[in-house]
Amino acid sequence: MTGFISEPNKHIEKYFDYYFDGEKNFEYAVLLNGAWGSGKTWFIKEYIQKQESKGKKVAYISLNGLSKTSDIDDEIFRCIHPKLASKGAKILGKVAKGALKAAFRFDWDGDSKPDGQVSVSVPDIELPDYLKITSKFILVFDDLERCKLKIEEVLGYINYFVEQESIKTLIISNATEIQQNEYFLKIKEKLVGATFNYTEDQDLAIQSILNEVLDGDLKTVLNSNLELIKQIFNQVGYQNLRSFKQTVFDFKRFYKKEFFEGNGNFESEIFEKVLKAFFILSLENKKGRFEKEILNFKLDELEPMTDEEKRKRALQHLLSFVGEDAQKFQKKYQMRLNEYIFSKDLWNEILNKNIIDDKIIKKELYEKYFRFKEDQPTWYKLWYYLNLSETEFGYLVTDAQKSIEYSKLNNITDILHTISMLVYFKEQNLISFPVENLLVLAIEQFKKIVKLKENIKKLNFFDIREASGGYGLYAHEFPIFENFIEDLAQAYEDKYVEKNIDRVQELLILMDNDTYEFYQQITNKYYDYPILKSLEPGAFLDQLLKIDYRNAMNAIDGLSSRYTTHSQTKIYLQEEDWFEKIIALANERLALATMLEKHKIQDKFLPKLGEIKQQAYKG
């Protein structure tokens, strides 16, 4: 246990050794003062381990939030014998607690008054040594200023152990919180024989916490970044070593060496970037900086916005931090969004939901770092264009232009940023060729390579932001680029709609062989999307007449649920023309239908369809 305290606090350790190790009954307690986050509690826990290694029994009691002396009783008993204090040992616990009551001759009744020499019946059993008060027993009371009991009451309680039982007792507090209390000063004179002020020693505490990481490889890289970690800890300004320790072990759970390896080499650069982002976001999150989600800031109090203003505000998110609170955060760390490496959604999964998805982590690390390192795209080279020579700039701009003209880009991030850079350069009069034709070609290429997600029918600005790879878009302020973003979203929607012909064919098949799945798709999967507008009314009616009657009625029940249960989506209004055509075609069929078909249409289908129409309007 050597080396856990620095030179400015060595005298405290020496006095504690004198106080706790000697056989003398001091008849006073020792008080240790220190500011919150100074490391005093960490130091005490290290010192407790030192005493326990010598065979001492230490009961460490946090007074934080305790409001009755009986609560302190319970905490002492739990420390002395956690098994008897557990819910599964209540009866035996009462027996042992009764024995402890006899030994302490103190208030186990919760009335906050010393009971004197309490007469109790001790069972005829052999009690273990740790239930007997000996010179090897130590009491430690932490967080004195956070106890909800009156200061005179809690100190009087502690005084009983010191004065009547001669138990060596340490009290830990942030004295600045209670030093003006007259009762504290008065009782302190009688109770406390030695007072020490702990000198902040965060560096040693941080080093000690990092050394608790048993993984040799991770411990090595963490210690090699010790100065960076200290800098982050102080920059965050959340001087809470307990939270810091949680962050360290959260990072240990997250860390895999393979995340940071490229071509067999450990990339210390990306490791340091992720480490820095992880510690900042984790500590700020524990500090309560974010609104439920990582990097989600308090919104400015604004007047009601028009749709156009909302659209422009959403576009601002493509660049960086938006809002006063977010701007303060950005200024504090001087880091752009892309420097946090992972997307907001991924950070939220890692730090709030405790989900470690190796596949997604590797994918984002590749997109944000390894791809640029292996084969830097042209727009990435243009990112710091002011550092380029005239010749380099001209060459890269030409390369960017050709990459759009010849459809060379197969990555959405590259398309987005290449167009953004070219539009920005045009607006700044740094290039002379027109860009309008390039926008059309870029949209065509985007539509070709974008992958559809069945659950995403339309793209919004935030979806496109994620595709920007965490790098701000240079041209975000210019109307021509705003229109380009809108055209990208429309291109995705057009591609989605083009696949509707396959989707409605699947629905027709499900009507016949899996009516449950048909029901699920039109009431859940497409509950807010007018998919049935893409289905020919005649084909739907033909299928109703062709399939098993029960399946047909189940399909109509699906329509009923779609238009009535989910009426709040207004989906009926979007598909009303389609539904009216079904009813019209069914009436037309009556003239040519066979007897059974006429019966099904006239007496079964049409009444049900009319009922649905009536209910949908009510909704």
Side-chain angles (χ1 to χ4, degrees), residues 223-241:
N223 281 316
S224 66
N225 287 279
L226 178 60
E227 292 307 314
L228 173 63
I229 292 171
K230 290 178 183 178
Q231 174 195 331
I232 296 167
F233 181 78
N234 289 310
Q235 192 174 14
V236 172
Y238 186 44
Q239 306 300 303
N240 188 310
L241 289 168

Tab-separated table of all heavy atoms in Angstrom, residues 223-241:
chain	number	residue	atom	x	y	z
A	223	ASN	N	-1.926	4.841	-19.435
A	223	ASN	CA	-0.841	5.521	-18.720
A	223	ASN	C	0.008	6.372	-19.658
A	223	ASN	O	0.546	7.402	-19.254
A	223	ASN	CB	0.033	4.507	-17.983
A	223	ASN	CG	-0.606	4.055	-16.681
A	223	ASN	OD1	-1.119	4.867	-15.930
A	223	ASN	ND2	-0.596	2.769	-16.418
A	224	SER	N	0.111	5.958	-20.915
A	224	SER	CA	0.870	6.759	-21.879
A	224	SER	C	0.114	8.047	-22.228
A	224	SER	O	0.693	8.992	-22.767
A	224	SER	CB	1.144	5.952	-23.153
A	224	SER	OG	-0.057	5.676	-23.845
A	225	ASN	N	-1.193	8.063	-21.935
A	225	ASN	CA	-2.013	9.254	-22.174
A	225	ASN	C	-2.438	9.911	-20.858
A	225	ASN	O	-3.463	10.600	-20.806
A	225	ASN	CB	-3.255	8.884	-22.989
A	225	ASN	CG	-2.935	8.598	-24.449
A	225	ASN	OD1	-2.797	9.517	-25.257
A	225	ASN	ND2	-2.816	7.325	-24.770
A	226	LEU	N	-1.651	9.700	-19.816
A	226	LEU	CA	-2.001	10.201	-18.487
A	226	LEU	C	-2.195	11.708	-18.481
A	226	LEU	O	-3.158	12.224	-17.898
A	226	LEU	CB	-0.915	9.793	-17.480
A	226	LEU	CG	-1.122	10.280	-16.037
A	226	LEU	CD1	-2.423	9.732	-15.476
A	226	LEU	CD2	0.070	9.864	-15.158
A	227	GLU	N	-1.289	12.447	-19.121
A	227	GLU	CA	-1.389	13.915	-19.118
A	227	GLU	C	-2.648	14.379	-19.828
A	227	GLU	O	-3.297	15.340	-19.411
A	227	GLU	CB	-0.142	14.529	-19.766
A	227	GLU	CG	1.128	14.343	-18.954
A	227	GLU	CD	0.967	14.830	-17.514
A	227	GLU	OE1	0.422	15.942	-17.314
A	227	GLU	OE2	1.366	14.099	-16.594
A	228	LEU	N	-3.016	13.693	-20.928
A	228	LEU	CA	-4.236	14.030	-21.654
A	228	LEU	C	-5.453	13.784	-20.769
A	228	LEU	O	-6.381	14.606	-20.715
A	228	LEU	CB	-4.340	13.199	-22.938
A	228	LEU	CG	-5.660	13.323	-23.723
A	228	LEU	CD1	-5.854	14.756	-24.217
A	228	LEU	CD2	-5.676	12.330	-24.891
A	229	ILE	N	-5.450	12.667	-20.047
A	229	ILE	CA	-6.573	12.317	-19.174
A	229	ILE	C	-6.711	13.340	-18.042
A	229	ILE	O	-7.806	13.780	-17.713
A	229	ILE	CB	-6.396	10.892	-18.625
A	229	ILE	CG1	-6.528	9.874	-19.767
A	229	ILE	CG2	-7.414	10.597	-17.530
A	229	ILE	CD1	-6.158	8.455	-19.377
A	230	LYS	N	-5.585	13.738	-17.445
A	230	LYS	CA	-5.618	14.764	-16.395
A	230	LYS	C	-6.175	16.080	-16.943
A	230	LYS	O	-6.969	16.762	-16.299
A	230	LYS	CB	-4.216	14.996	-15.838
A	230	LYS	CG	-3.652	13.853	-15.007
A	230	LYS	CD	-2.246	14.208	-14.555
A	230	LYS	CE	-1.599	13.081	-13.777
A	230	LYS	NZ	-0.204	13.421	-13.385
A	231	GLN	N	-5.736	16.425	-18.138
A	231	GLN	CA	-6.183	17.667	-18.767
A	231	GLN	C	-7.696	17.648	-18.971
A	231	GLN	O	-8.392	18.625	-18.672
A	231	GLN	CB	-5.477	17.845	-20.111
A	231	GLN	CG	-5.989	19.042	-20.915
A	231	GLN	CD	-5.541	18.979	-22.363
A	231	GLN	OE1	-4.497	18.430	-22.683
A	231	GLN	NE2	-6.353	19.528	-23.255
A	232	ILE	N	-8.216	16.517	-19.458
A	232	ILE	CA	-9.659	16.390	-19.692
A	232	ILE	C	-10.414	16.499	-18.371
A	232	ILE	O	-11.427	17.189	-18.262
A	232	ILE	CB	-9.982	15.061	-20.392
A	232	ILE	CG1	-9.349	15.022	-21.780
A	232	ILE	CG2	-11.496	14.860	-20.500
A	232	ILE	CD1	-9.361	13.645	-22.419
A	233	PHE	N	-9.913	15.789	-17.349
A	233	PHE	CA	-10.565	15.786	-16.041
A	233	PHE	C	-10.711	17.214	-15.516
A	233	PHE	O	-11.774	17.610	-15.017
A	233	PHE	CB	-9.764	14.932	-15.068
A	233	PHE	CG	-10.366	14.841	-13.681
A	233	PHE	CD1	-11.440	14.003	-13.428
A	233	PHE	CD2	-9.863	15.605	-12.642
A	233	PHE	CE1	-11.997	13.923	-12.159
A	233	PHE	CE2	-10.410	15.531	-11.365
A	233	PHE	CZ	-11.483	14.682	-11.135
A	234	ASN	N	-9.646	17.999	-15.632
A	234	ASN	CA	-9.676	19.377	-15.133
A	234	ASN	C	-10.481	20.291	-16.046
A	234	ASN	O	-11.140	21.226	-15.586
A	234	ASN	CB	-8.257	19.909	-14.978
A	234	ASN	CG	-7.525	19.250	-13.816
A	234	ASN	OD1	-8.038	19.187	-12.711
A	234	ASN	ND2	-6.335	18.736	-14.059
A	235	GLN	N	-10.446	20.004	-17.355
A	235	GLN	CA	-11.186	20.828	-18.307
A	235	GLN	C	-12.690	20.657	-18.137
A	235	GLN	O	-13.442	21.624	-18.208
A	235	GLN	CB	-10.783	20.465	-19.737
A	235	GLN	CG	-11.272	21.460	-20.782
A	235	GLN	CD	-10.732	21.136	-22.160
A	235	GLN	OE1	-10.208	20.045	-22.409
A	235	GLN	NE2	-10.855	22.079	-23.085
A	236	VAL	N	-13.129	19.423	-17.901
A	236	VAL	CA	-14.552	19.178	-17.665
A	236	VAL	C	-15.006	19.927	-16.421
A	236	VAL	O	-16.104	20.476	-16.366
A	236	VAL	CB	-14.848	17.672	-17.530
A	236	VAL	CG1	-16.292	17.428	-17.093
A	236	VAL	CG2	-14.576	16.947	-18.851
A	237	GLY	N	-14.150	19.942	-15.408
A	237	GLY	CA	-14.471	20.682	-14.199
A	237	GLY	C	-15.449	19.986	-13.293
A	237	GLY	O	-16.070	20.614	-12.432
A	238	TYR	N	-15.588	18.675	-13.475
A	238	TYR	CA	-16.474	17.887	-12.609
A	238	TYR	C	-15.589	17.107	-11.663
A	238	TYR	O	-15.212	15.979	-11.930
A	238	TYR	CB	-17.341	16.970	-13.459
A	238	TYR	CG	-18.403	16.203	-12.692
A	238	TYR	CD1	-19.172	16.821	-11.719
A	238	TYR	CD2	-18.657	14.866	-12.971
A	238	TYR	CE1	-20.147	16.138	-11.026
A	238	TYR	CE2	-19.648	14.167	-12.293
A	238	TYR	CZ	-20.384	14.808	-11.325
A	238	TYR	OH	-21.364	14.118	-10.654
A	239	GLN	N	-15.218	17.726	-10.547
A	239	GLN	CA	-14.194	17.163	-9.669
A	239	GLN	C	-14.771	16.036	-8.806
A	239	GLN	O	-14.855	16.133	-7.587
A	239	GLN	CB	-13.607	18.262	-8.799
A	239	GLN	CG	-13.076	19.442	-9.583
A	239	GLN	CD	-11.974	19.068	-10.551
A	239	GLN	OE1	-10.956	18.512	-10.150
A	239	GLN	NE2	-12.154	19.341	-11.825
A	240	ASN	N	-15.148	14.988	-9.460
A	240	ASN	CA	-15.760	13.858	-8.783
A	240	ASN	C	-15.008	12.592	-9.189
A	240	ASN	O	-15.190	12.072	-10.297
A	240	ASN	CB	-17.238	13.754	-9.170
A	240	ASN	CG	-17.977	12.711	-8.353
A	240	ASN	OD1	-17.535	11.575	-8.233
A	240	ASN	ND2	-19.118	13.089	-7.799
A	241	LEU	N	-14.141	12.140	-8.301
A	241	LEU	CA	-13.298	10.996	-8.628
A	241	LEU	C	-14.106	9.708	-8.775
A	241	LEU	O	-13.709	8.799	-9.498
A	241	LEU	CB	-12.214	10.819	-7.564
A	241	LEU	CG	-11.124	11.896	-7.589
A	241	LEU	CD1	-10.259	11.808	-6.340
A	241	LEU	CD2	-10.256	11.763	-8.833
